[in-house]
Every structure is written in C-alpha cells, then in structure tokens.
Amino acid sequence: MDEHALRELADERLRALAGPDAELRDDQWHAIHALVLERRRALVVQRTGWGKSAVYFLATALLRELGEGPTVIVSPLLALMRNQVAAAEAAGVRAASINSANQQQWADIEEQVAVGDVDVLLVSPERLNNPDFRDNVLPELTHSAGLLVVDEAHCISDWGHDFRPDYRRLRTLLRELPEGVPVLATTATANDRVVQDVADQLGVGGEFSDPQQTLVLRGTLDRESLRLGVVRLPTAQARLGWLAGNLGELPGSGIIYTLTVAATDEVSAFLRDQGFEVTSYSGRTDPEERQRAEDDLLANRVKALVATSALGMGFDKPDLGFVVHMGAPSSPIAYYQQIGRAGRGVRRAEALLLPGPEDQDIWKYFASLAFPPESTVRRILDALSEAGTLSTAALEPRVELGRSRLEMVLKVLDVDGAVRRVKSGWEATGEPWDYDAERYERIAAERATEQQAMLDYLDTTGCRMEFLRKQLDDPHAEPCGRCDNCTGSGRSAEVDESSVQRAQERLNRPGVELNPRKMWPTGMDVLGIPVSGRFPAGERAEQGRAVGRLTDIGWGNRLRELLGANSPDQDLPDDLFQACVQVLAAWEWERRPAGVLALGSRTRPRLVRSLAERLSTVGRLPLLGEVATNPETTPVHGTNSAQRVAALRGQFKVPEDVSAKLAGLDGPVLLVDDYADTGWTITIVARTLRLAGAPAVLPFTLATTA
C-alpha cells in the first residue's frame, strides 16, 4: 500500500472516530507517517484534546492493514483505559485491556490476542512486572507487537508531576522489541526537562533534531476554551458556601477536585445537603462505584464528581463544562493537567481555583513520602540477601517503612536491577546498586520550586494561561485574553451569609469513626513477638469515635493547630470540649460507658487528662485514672505496623488501683487520647485493658489521621 492510499485510509478511519468533518492535523499525519512508513520512534507533546489517541489508533489500523501484529498501549489509569477501549471501537479497532479490575478476563483476552482477534491491548504498567505476565505473556507479545505506545509518558520521569516507578520498566521492554517496531510516547504535560528525561528513560535519547533519532512533535499548549480564575476566600466554610452559591451557574457538568480523600466526602456531603446531584470519587472508591460515577458524569446525570487526582489523566468527556479546585495542587504542571479535562468539545469552560490555608500542610505531608535515605534502602537489600525470597508483608517488619513507601522503593530497585519480583515476593539479584543521592536531592529541590511556582500562580497579576504555559516551556506562550486577570472580570468572591452559615453548621458537625485493628501484622516472630492472626473477641476494642480528621477541611485546621508539633500542652479548649459532647451524644453505643480512663501521654499529658476529667464530669461517670507510660521505655517509633507494634511492647501498664476498678465495672471503659494515627496504640492498650478485666473498651480521641 503506497503513501497516498495509506493517507486516504487514515482519513476514513479518522472520520469514523471523530465525525464526518474531521481532518487530520499536520502533526498527526507526521507522527503516523513516521510510525507506519518509517517505523521510527516518536514523542508527541500536545495539549489535552489535541488528538494524541487518534494518532495511535489510526497508526494501529494502518499497521494491521499491512499485516503487522497488535499494538500494545501502556496506560496508567482504569478510567483512561475504559475511554481508550471505547475510542478504539469507534475507529474500527478491536481493543481490550488487562488491569486490576478485570482479572477474571485475563486468560480469555490473552487468547484473543494470540489468535489475532485483538488489535490493541492496553496494559497497566504494573502488569509489565507481574511474574506470570512478564514471563509467559510478555515475551510473545513483544515478539509479535506491531506498535508500542506509552501513554501519559511523563509518568516515566521522576521530574514529572506524576512519576510512577512501574513505568520505568519500559526500558526493558524497549530493549527486547524486535528491530523496526515503531514506538510512540505521548503526553500533554511535559516541560523541557521532562521531555529530555522521558526520551532517556525510553532509550530513545539523542539529539531531537537528528532525523535518525526520535521525532519530537511539540505544539502550543493553549486551551482556547478555558477561562481561568482564582477566587480567594478566608475560610473553609466560606469556600463551601461560595461553591454552593455558584455551582448551579457553572456550565454543564464538571469535576470538583480536592487534595484529600476526606475532603471529597465532606464537600460532596455538603453539596448533596444543598440539593446538588454530586458523587465522591477517590482511589478508595470501590471499582464498580467508580465506573458508575464516571458513567453518571459522562451522561450528565450528576452536576459534578467531587474527586481526588484519581480522576485525572485520560478521562474523556468532550463537553465537560468546568473544573473547580477546592485547594491548590502542589505543581502548576499538575494543575494544568487536571484542568485539561474541561472544554475539549465546547467553546467555553471554566477552571476555578479556591486555595485554602491548609494546602501547604498537605503538600508538606505528601513531600514527606519521598524516596527514603540510603541506610533504609540498604536494609531492604540486606534483608532480601539474608532471607532469600520475601513477600512485601514479610519484609515489612524488617525495615522501618510503611507499606506504600516500601512498595515504591521495591519497584525502583526492581527497575534498577537490584531486586526481582517473583511469584512469592521479592528476591535480591546480587547486582551492584548505587544510591543516587544527588538526583533525589535535585528532585526534592524541584518539588519545592514547583510549590513556590504554584503560590506565584495564585498571586500573579499577569495572564494565568500564559503563566502555566511558561511552566511547561511552551515557546508560544502569550496572554490568553480570557482569564480573570486578562479580562478584569473574574468571578466575585462575595458569598451569601446564609450559605456560609449552612457550611459552618455542616463543617462543625463533629464525629468520625475509629476502627481499631483486628489482626496482628505479618511476620511479628521476626521481631521476637510470637503473635499472629486475628485478635480473639475478648481482646479487641470496640469501634470508637474521634472529633475529626487532621485532613478535614472543617475540624482539621483547628485540630492541627491544637496538636501541631510546636503547639504547647494545654487544657482542653472549650470549643473542642463542646464538640466532644456532641460526638458522645450522637454515639449509638450498645452499652453506655461505665467509666472514663485516660491513655497516658508523653507529649500532651495535660490535654489528655483534662479531656478525661471534663468528659467524666459532664457524663457523670467515674474517672478511673490513667494508663501509665513506662518511664523505662523510649518513645514509640516505627513507620509500619510491625515496627510500631514492636515499639509499643512494654510502653504502657495498668496501675493496680486501675485494675481493681476495671474488675468491678458493669459496662465499657471510655478510653480517651489526643489522636489516633495508625490505630495500634489504642488497639494494644485496649487489649491490655481487656486482659485486665475491662468488659469492653470504647476508644475516643480528638483527632485521627485515617
């Protein structure tokens, strides 16, 4: 088939995909030409909605016409995969995906690929190193592939706003591709540094202008439909009140982004109270509920999804009318990526940012989860070398890292060749490995620079779209003429006082559930503690309550102020005492507490004692005393469950006079503390109290991090 015939077929397939009036952009055809006729590697950096997916679906159709094998697309998110499968079908391309939500279908899909019934296979980056997939499916797929596509390729770069270690495994896949298999990498959010790093990670480096190397196609990042604006409001209740007062005026349906899972629940609950059809959406949402929520938004059955960044890359709704951020992301590049969901197929869409005073605290928390120090990483390698193969759960007691950070480090070590994932866990390869401290420090510095840039975006008096485009090194950046600063007519920050009052009442509604642990961590015997399995019923705490979460947009600010590392120990403030009373009054316990007991505190003994004393007085309950802190032990440390349980051993003891009182109770003990983090302190102390004779234990704290 000659070039002219291929172009005609590409145009035909494009019209099937995008409508009878659709025409290929010049750079779309340049990319397709390079992939299909020249079998080159291409990096396409174009704005959201430009048509990057059309490039790989049309290239797939043409390559299949030429008798080539299926296209393999590495895609990071379930929502993105679902949209891509639907788009492929519109282009006449048979697509299927292998991901965590369709495990029952994997065998059938793999068979369909093998017999040629699938043109496009979408896989998550995690699949690339699943032992079964890596060893049994990937070799044949690699040998027969007609095209490899890396979607959202900025995820490869640890300079990018959404770095994912699994993506770096693509280097291995690229090395194993037969000669002449074209490769396409696409992203909408890459500055110069990320573009260069993506090219290096893909193994496609070299001078971009060299025609023998990678074809790089970068276009303007302006989004002509977007109207950007910032609305500054003094309090969380003012932001919620403003949102309720203005949501009905925003065009169509859209997305309301929050920085935390807790905030998605708070915002969506308040908006539903005000009569809006909204649904919360986060990484903790059940997959079926997420699918249903996406479908409802696509069909305009809801005004908005209140979402974390879990709803992001690739979610494709051409008529999405607005994106509102309740809190600023930590990076202008991440912000640009998220607002890019709106306005793809409409003339006007709004992107509004409502920053909050807690934003920087949240940024600081997420920054604390960066790559750990070399000594910690070396302990992981030593543990695997000594023990052989270990599962993540079995490795956890041997190192002071939480589960998510441990998994992240293992993935990086796997990509670097120092460890290997096998069916039963992880094993050391014995290959030498160097800790790139200089790189990690530069990345941390880059993150700090991005955070300052986000603050500068809020304060700028210049064009907001131009600001974002410059952050992405767009050489065509210029004033948009549409944003609040360009027009001088942004949305008013005035809020109806009745809306603020309703928001205040909603945010001041205290009370969240505390769920103490029910099972011992895996591998405690390694730490010399012979426990395992579930707690017997007679050793468990009951479900408890806290006034609020430290991440709440309501009580969170007040609780962080009281419990911050530099906050003085003090008596319980009256406003929090009243909140405690409200929580206790709404607590539908099976049996009323028969006494109040303080959990001994090293850092805030005055606060915890006054909490116990005041609750005892108002509830007319006997004050049983205090669980004592063992002065011979060091303060609790431990960053994962196993390490924390080990550190808690011997920390607390029940005084004899308290034990005597417990034995005579005819109801539960109300066990009070300042805050619950992992839940293990309350769990272990409650177990101690149960063994000492307490009929039941009801945990109660001012705050929780859960």
Side-chain angles (χ1 to χ4, degrees), residues 233-240 355 357 500 504 507 553 557:
L233 295 151
T235 62
Q237 53 266 33
R239 297 204 308 277
L240 270 185
V500 176
Q504 178 78 48
L507 293 179
I553 58 176
N557 289 333

Side-chain angles (χ1 to χ4, degrees), residues 13-18 84-93:
R13 292 299 181 96
L14 177 68
R15 289 189 289 271
L17 176 65
Q84 286 169 323
V85 170
E89 292 174 354
V93 174

Side-chain angles (χ1 to χ4, degrees), residues 223 225-229 242-244 246-257 267 271 276-279 297 300 302-307 311 315 317-326 335 338-354 491:
R223 296 293 311 281
S225 63
L226 287 184
R227 272 62 176 170
L228 305 185
W242 185 94
L243 182 60
N246 288 269
L247 184 57
E249 299 176 8
L250 295 178
S253 55
I255 300 170
I256 301 168
Y257 279 113
V267 173
L271 291 176
F276 291 101
E277 288 290 335
V278 298
T279 302
L297 181 59
N300 295 314
V302 294
K303 180 64 177 178
L305 294 189
V306 184
L311 182 70
F315 181 77
K317 177 177 168 57
D319 62 341
L320 196 77
F322 64 88
V323 171
V324 175
H325 278 76
M326 296 287 283
Y335 181 63
Q338 290 175 353
I339 63 174
R341 308 275 66 78
R344 295 184 179 190
V346 293
R347 291 186 176 182
R348 179 187 178 95
E350 295 202 45
L352 300 171
L353 175 53
L354 281 62
R491 285 194 173 260

Side-chain angles (χ1 to χ4, degrees), residues 78-79 82 99-105 279-297 301 305:
L78 295 182
R82 287 191 283 265
N99 58 67
S100 59
N102 68 348
Q103 296 185 26
Q104 305 302 320
Q105 303 172 32
T279 302
S280 59
Y281 184 110
S282 73
R284 295 184 189 173
T285 306
D286 180 81
E288 290 185 4
E289 293 180 18
R290 290 173 71 168
Q291 174 71 75
R292 187 161 51 249
E294 291 170 24
D295 291 343
D296 286 344
L297 181 59
R301 289 189 291 266
L305 294 189

Side-chain angles (χ1 to χ4, degrees), residues 392-412:
T392 307
L395 182 58
E396 193 172 7
R398 295 168 164 83
V399 294
E400 289 192 12
L401 282 178
R403 179 67 59 88
S404 60
R405 290 187 78 197
L406 176 57
E407 290 176 340
M408 180 268 286
V409 173
L410 287 167
K411 289 175 180 179
V412 171

Side-chain angles (χ1 to χ4, degrees), residues 71-106:
T71 291
V72 178
I73 301 177
V74 181
S75 183
L77 290 176
L78 295 182
L80 179 56
M81 285 189 179
R82 287 191 283 265
N83 287 327
Q84 286 169 323
V85 170
E89 292 174 354
V93 174
R94 299 165 298 180
S97 66
I98 291 180
N99 58 67
S100 59
N102 68 348
Q103 296 185 26
Q104 305 302 320
Q105 303 172 32
W106 289 355

